[in-house]
Amino acid sequence: MHTDFDRCVRAVRSKDARFDGWFFTAVLTTRIYCRPSCPVVPPKVENMTFYPSAAAAQQAGFRACKRCRPDASPGSPEWNERADLVARAMRLIGDGVVDREGVPGLAARLGYSTRQIERQLLAELGAGPQALARSQRAQTGRLLIETTELPMGDVAFAAGFSSIRTFNETVREVFALSPSELRARAARGRQPAPPGVLALRLPYRAPLCPDNLFGHLAATAVPGVEEWRDGAYRRTLRLPYGHGTVELRPRPGHIGCRLALTDQRDPTGAI
């Protein structure tokens, strides 16, 4: 859709949230990219350009808007529905395969060459697997910075960064704020979590009917693995580095999540 300039402009001017995730609006004068539904005054048409993914916008040198937080929006509905190479690659990148095994590991899992993976992702999403994984790491890092009290070093490695320096540079480049500044902005009104538990706010793409979703999960729960209790859905998790348990509770505009992990390298896969 991002190639249909006039259609994208109409969506931006109408601030229609249904287009969130289908494309991202980058502003050439401010070097900021936004969701179509961003509440700020739309830029001039001649200053707009459009990208198919947040990673593509970041790779082009744009930073995320602090108002609409386009980096926090879950993947495009098209990515989730398409049963092809790109959809499977996006799911594996989201699970942290590139962070653990690199692009050759991703290609081996998909049964294609690394060159073919690069070409397909660039054609569909405007960014290669490394850029997409970097965007994923940045968003996971932001989530952990803003919703937990973990030390910054632990956040960096839990989000999949190879070093604290790379973590700091990426956060500054993508969000135009240091990790400590991000934490300070989000600290007000946050409830502390018990030791060993990560308390997160997981965004979702509207529309969502939590009653139907959680009602189905409660009705089909596997004894000993899942349960519904006190207004929350709980289950065990099998993750790349260990095990964990999760508690999910529907909230206005987000899902409240509490994670207890045996290995702190697993937040990306758990999320």
Side-chain angles (χ1 to χ4, degrees), residues 141-170:
R142 180 176 191 165
L143 194 62
L144 294 173
I145 289 168
E146 294 184 337
T147 61
T148 74
E149 296 294 338
L150 287 174
M152 292 300 178
D154 292 348
V155 169
F157 295 116
F161 290 93
S162 58
S163 70
I164 297 176
R165 180 179 179 180
T166 303
F167 165 68
N168 289 331
E169 290 176 350
T170 299

Side-chain angles (χ1 to χ4, degrees), residues 135-220:
S135 178
Q136 172 78 26
R137 288 193 295 271
Q139 169 54 19
T140 302
R142 180 176 191 165
L143 194 62
L144 294 173
I145 289 168
E146 294 184 337
T147 61
T148 74
E149 296 294 338
L150 287 174
M152 292 300 178
D154 292 348
V155 169
F157 295 116
F161 290 93
S162 58
S163 70
I164 297 176
R165 180 179 179 180
T166 303
F167 165 68
N168 289 331
E169 290 176 350
T170 299
V171 170
R172 283 184 178 276
E173 182 180 341
V174 173
F175 306 118
L177 291 170
S178 68
S180 58
E181 289 170 336
L182 273 178
R183 177 162 285 176
R185 284 167 58 94
R188 287 172 290 184
R190 187 173 61 205
Q191 297 295 323
V197 174
L198 301 180
L200 309 174
R201 291 166 55 96
L202 302 183
Y204 59 78
R205 184 181 308 284
L208 176 73
C209 183
D211 291 343
N212 286 357
L213 174 60
F214 284 92
H216 170 75
L217 292 173
T220 59

Side-chain angles (χ1 to χ4, degrees), residues 117-142:
I117 298 294
E118 291 270 3
R119 184 165 58 246
Q120 290 287 341
L121 290 174
L122 283 170
E124 291 291 335
L125 306 176
Q130 290 286 9
L132 291 164
R134 179 176 179 268
S135 178
Q136 172 78 26
R137 288 193 295 271
Q139 169 54 19
T140 302
R142 180 176 191 165

Side-chain angles (χ1 to χ4, degrees), residues 26-129:
V27 185
L28 298 174
T29 51
T30 62
R31 306 302 295 177
I32 292 173
Y33 73 96
C34 301
R35 304 181 192 218
S37 64
C38 185
V40 303
V41 177
K44 294 180 179 179
V45 173
E46 59 267 27
N47 293 330
M48 294 184 194
T49 187
F50 304 103
Y51 290 92
S53 67
Q58 292 171 15
Q59 188 169 250
F62 295 90
R63 63 176 177 83
C65 172
K66 295 184 177 71
R67 289 286 301 276
C68 66
R69 298 184 56 169
D71 55 294
S73 179
S76 161
E78 188 176 29
W79 299 350
N80 296 334
E81 292 175 359
R82 294 181 56 182
D84 62 4
L85 171 62
V86 174
R88 288 184 286 129
M90 282 303 303
R91 285 193 290 271
L92 290 173
I93 291 171
D95 287 340
V97 168
V98 172
D99 298 332
R100 296 191 301 273
E101 305 173 21
V103 178
L106 174 68
R109 284 180 177 242
L110 294 169
Y112 289 82
S113 68
T114 56
R115 184 178 179 182
Q116 180 75 348
I117 298 294
E118 291 270 3
R119 184 165 58 246
Q120 290 287 341
L121 290 174
L122 283 170
E124 291 291 335
L125 306 176

